[in-house]
Each structure stands twice: as structure tokens, then as C-alpha cells.
Amino acid sequence: MMKLRLNTSVEIKGSLQDIPAPAAVRIPIQKKHKPVVKKKQIVGRGQVIAENPSKGAYNLGFVHASIDGMVEDILPDAIIIGPIPAPKEGEEAAVPARPAPCAELDTLAGEELCRKLLELGIDTSGLHATRTLIINGLNPEPGVIVSEQLVKDAQVTLKAGIQLIEKALKPGTIKLVVASGKQISLHGCTTVGASDAYPATIDPLVVYAATGAERPDNVDVISVAELYAVGRVAEAKLPLTETVVSIGDKTFVVPVGMAVQDLLSVAGASAGTDKKVALGGPMRGEAIFDLSAGVPKNCSAVTLVEEGLFPPVQPNPCINCGECVLACPARIQPGMLSRFAEFKMFDSARNEHVGACLECGMCTFVCPANRPVLQYILLAKQFLAAQDADVATCRLQD
Ligand code: SF4
Ligand code: SF4
């Protein structure tokens, strides 16, 4: 097995650092988003550039320009904004229109407030009116330090986030889950100690640690980074245009869509030719090959992995050793599920509870055959989700 320290809690030494706005950004959008700008349009920071057409309160948030600039291109997965061109002789300079602060945040509550947060860029898809709100204060993965950094440096913003979330969800109890033994508290929360050894830090296992129940009703969970995003919106009353990203032992507030290569350069880190780059942590992150990719809104880390540190994951045959079964916190059979996906037996994967996978990546981590176990499982989940969506559409059309 590869050597990686799986404990996630660390002693935070540095401070949260702001990164100045870059000249250009490539802002990722999802399939669901509908662009509402045109090429060559001048946009102001905070202006909506892609909406989620869903009318509900609990869904993916709208997307906003993170810099003043001109829309250079609209791609299926990103909107590119570059500098505003200099005016031609005799013409006046274009003035980007930034949105005014949203006064409604003071008056709205419940579902209406959740809808407004969605329009201001917050992903509300995991929220609803709830009896217990759990704040996951554990660092999400080994080497990703955002949660503990924010708890150390952003108490005021986190308090603003809690106050707004209280108005939106009206929870009876708020619990903050932190690494056992850490003296950490947040405004209005009951602190609960839990294991910081990955994968105990992922949301469903944190919920179990805080409530003693698996998948309980009436419980919502939000990470500290998500709470911080709500807090930034609450403080400025403006749309969310930034995310918090850790790189090694440093943490930055980064304009959404900033090119990964620009971020690495400002952070004093270099990918060089001997490192792989992943958006996210070492267990659940996604390797990228194009460093001009923009940092997404939900990105919590950029991870640099030295070439050769890990053996390459390849579609090798499963040797049925059972290591992945022993490591799986969802108590399913990753090896068998990966074989079902490999041979396109997706219905068999469904029958063997592929949907229960927590996407922690432990199966891939322990697999001695270096199979892309999680990637196969994700393939099955995506295929089945698309199949379900098709069936739902057919029923609506009947
Ligand atoms: S990613 Fe693998 S180990 Fe983790 S829950 Fe899913 S099947 Fe189990
Ligand atoms: S750890 Fe790898 S080789 Fe072993 S059963 Fe699981 S998928 Fe197969």
C-alpha cells in the first residue's frame, strides 16, 4: 500500500491570504447552467453570467463574473472573461455594471431566503428546513487544510454565515464537528469531537459521528468552506465570486475562474514537468492536464503530486483480493461493482447498491492491482443517473 498520512488535522501556521483579481478568468459552468451573456458583452464583477433555470429554492447556484471584463467566449463548460478593450478614439470607455448590494437578505427567511442565496451563487442543493444542522469542521482530505484555516482566521465571517443559515433553515440544533481534542468553537454551535482520519471526515460519516445514525432524516450538513461562502454573501450582500483554496500549507481566497497556472504562480508553487496537478485533494481530486483551467467555485485545494510517488492507475484485472471491501466505509463490494461497470453490467451494479458509494476513493487507494476502482464506480453511477433522468422525462411526456 502507498504511504500517505490519512489524518487530516494539522497545526495551522500561516494566515488566509487574498489573491488579487487576475486580468482574465475562465469560469466553469455546469450542464444545468444557461448562459445569459453574449460574446463581447462588458460585465461587472458580481453580474450574473449563467442562471440555473430551475425555479426551486434548493439547487445549484447561479454563476457570476468574478472580475470586471469582456466576455470573450462561451463554451459548454466555461465562460471566458478577459480585459475590457481600450476605447477607440472619440469613444467613451465602457463602464462595467456591478450589482448593488441585495437588501432583501435582511428581510427574507426560510425557503425564500434559500432561493435568494441560490441566485447569489450559493449551492443550496443539499439544504432544506431542518431540525439539526451539522457543520463539518474537519479538513476534507489529508493535505487539504481549508476548514481549520477558516476556523482560525474567519470567525467573524463564519458567524455571519451561521446567522444567515439560521434564518434560512431554522434548525433546532447546530453542531460543529471538529477533530477530537481540538479546542475549537463557533458562534452558537455545540462542538462535537470526531476522528480526523480520512475517510471519517466526509459528510455522511461526520453525520454518523454527530448523531449516531446513518442517513437520518431532518439533518443537513454543510462544510466550513460552504459556511464561509454564505458568510461572505451575508457580509457584502453581493454574489459569491470567490472560493477558498489550499495549496500545501498555504490557503488563499481566490477569484472563481482564475487559471490554475496563475494561481500556482501567485502562490509560489510550480507544477514543473515532474508533478501532476489535481483540483481537490489527493483522495477525491480530479487530475487536470490543462493548467489554463479555471478554479471552480467548489474547489477546496490544488494538489501537486510528484511524478512516480504513486503507481499509475490502470485498467488492470481485478485479482479479487478483497482489500477494497475491507477499506470501504459504505460496506459495499467495490471490486465487484468495478467489474460490473467495466463490463457495462450497470443494472447489476444498481442491484448491488452502487448508489451507496460515498465516493471516498479508499478502494482505489488500497487496490494492489492499481485499478481505477472509484472511477469505474463513478461511471456506473453516472450511467444510471442518466438512465433515470431519461425515464423521468419519458414519464413526463406520457
Ligand atoms: S469510493 Fe470505494 S471505498 Fe469509498 S465508499 Fe465508494 S466503493 Fe467504498
Ligand atoms: S482491491 Fe483491487 S484487486 Fe482487490 S478486490 Fe478490490 S478491485 Fe479487485
Side-chain angles (χ1 to χ4, degrees):
M1 193 192 303
M2 295 146 289
K3 296 236 179 309
L4 182 69
R5 181 181 174 270
L6 290 179
N7 289 75
T8 59
S9 186
V10 290
E11 189 194 338
I12 303 288
K13 295 192 178 123
S15 300
L16 195 59
Q17 300 176 47
D18 276 312
I19 288 211
V25 288
R26 185 188 178 105
I27 300 178
I29 56 173
Q30 307 285 321
K31 227 175 173 178
K32 252 185 195 175
H33 287 128
K34 184 169 163 273
V36 291
V37 286
K38 296 192 175 108
K39 273 194 202 179
K40 297 196 183 313
Q41 184 175 335
I42 303 298
V43 291
R45 193 177 75 214
Q47 184 175 336
V48 177
I49 56 171
E51 291 181 351
N52 179 348
S54 149
K55 298 284 175 227
Y58 308 108
N59 218 308
L60 206 57
F62 286 13
V63 182
H64 304 80
S66 57
I67 58 169
D68 295 333
M70 186 181 78
V71 177
E72 289 184 347
D73 209 352
I74 300 170
L75 306 171
D77 62 349
I79 295 178
I80 300 174
I81 301 173
I84 300 173
K88 290 183 188 147
E89 209 176 322
E91 285 183 358
E92 290 200 4
V95 181
R98 294 185 180 179
C102 176
E104 288 169 281
L105 282 185
D106 290 332
T107 53
L108 295 176
E111 198 170 321
E112 287 179 337
L113 178 53
C114 280
R115 172 68 201 183
K116 185 52 67 182
L117 287 173
L118 178 156
E119 290 171 5
L120 290 169
I122 301 293
D123 180 359
T124 58
S125 47
L127 304 178
H128 37 67
T130 189
R131 269 210 304 270
T132 304
L133 175 66
I134 293 172
I135 300 169
N136 184 351
L138 296 162
N139 285 327
E141 293 185 42
V144 182
I145 64 171
V146 282
S147 299
E148 291 186 347
Q149 182 86 61
L150 287 170
V151 170
K152 171 180 162 287
D153 290 343
Q155 286 274 335
V156 174
T157 305
L158 294 174
K159 179 178 174 186
I162 289 173
Q163 287 169 334
L164 199 60
I165 281 280
E166 278 181 316
K167 278 207 304 171
L169 306 184
K170 304 184 177 22
T173 313
I174 308 181
K175 294 182 181 180
L176 169 70
V177 178
V178 301
S180 294
K182 287 245 169 175
Q183 301 301 315
I184 294 175
S185 59
L186 270 183
H187 163 83
C189 302
T190 308
T191 301
V192 178
S195 167
D196 71 328
Y198 190 84
T201 56
I202 62 177
D203 286 348
L205 301 181
V206 164
V207 169
Y208 181 69
T211 64
E214 289 186 21
R215 300 176 190 267
D217 291 334
N218 271 311
V219 175
D220 276 356
V221 59
I222 185 171
S223 70
V224 167
E226 289 165 333
L227 183 63
Y228 176 80
V230 176
R232 290 286 279 210
V233 169
E235 286 179 327
K237 297 191 169 53
L238 290 171
L240 183 67
T241 58
E242 65 222 355
T243 184
V244 183
V245 177
S246 73
I247 304 175
D249 59 359
K250 297 178 185 161
T251 311
F252 303 92
V253 180
V254 180
V256 172
M258 184 173 188
V260 172
Q261 63 202 4
D262 293 346
L263 172 58
L264 290 174
S265 148
V266 175
S270 163
T273 52
D274 58 339
K275 295 194 184 85
K276 290 184 181 167
V277 180
L279 285 181
M283 305 300 289
R284 310 174 95 181
E286 199 176 308
I288 55 167
F289 303 98
D290 178 4
L291 296 187
S292 68
V295 174
K297 204 191 281 184
N298 60 357
C299 179
S300 58
V302 174
T303 303
L304 300 177
V305 182
E306 280 187 37
E307 200 79 56
L309 185 63
F310 299 99
V313 168
Q314 288 172 341
N316 298 321
C318 172
I319 55 174
N320 213 12
C321 66
E323 287 287 338
C324 55
V325 180
L326 295 175
C328 176
R331 303 191 301 274
I332 53 180
Q333 300 201 46
M336 183 171 69
L337 290 167
S338 72
R339 293 199 299 271
F340 284 146
E342 187 177 5
F343 298 108
K344 299 189 172 49
M345 298 166 67
F346 298 117
D347 287 333
S348 301
R350 190 199 293 275
N351 294 339
E352 290 300 329
H353 314 292
V354 72
C357 167
L358 306 175
E359 298 176 18
C360 69
M362 284 303 289
C363 45
T364 308
F365 180 66
V366 299
C367 177
N370 299 322
R371 278 168 63 76
V373 189
L374 172 57
Q375 287 76 4
Y376 278 133
I377 287 172
L378 291 176
L379 177 73
K381 288 176 93 171
Q382 280 165 12
F383 179 90
L384 292 168
Q387 196 178 54
D388 291 347
D390 285 349
V391 170
T393 309
C394 290
R395 283 194 187 132
L396 284 173
Q397 288 170 352
D398 279 349

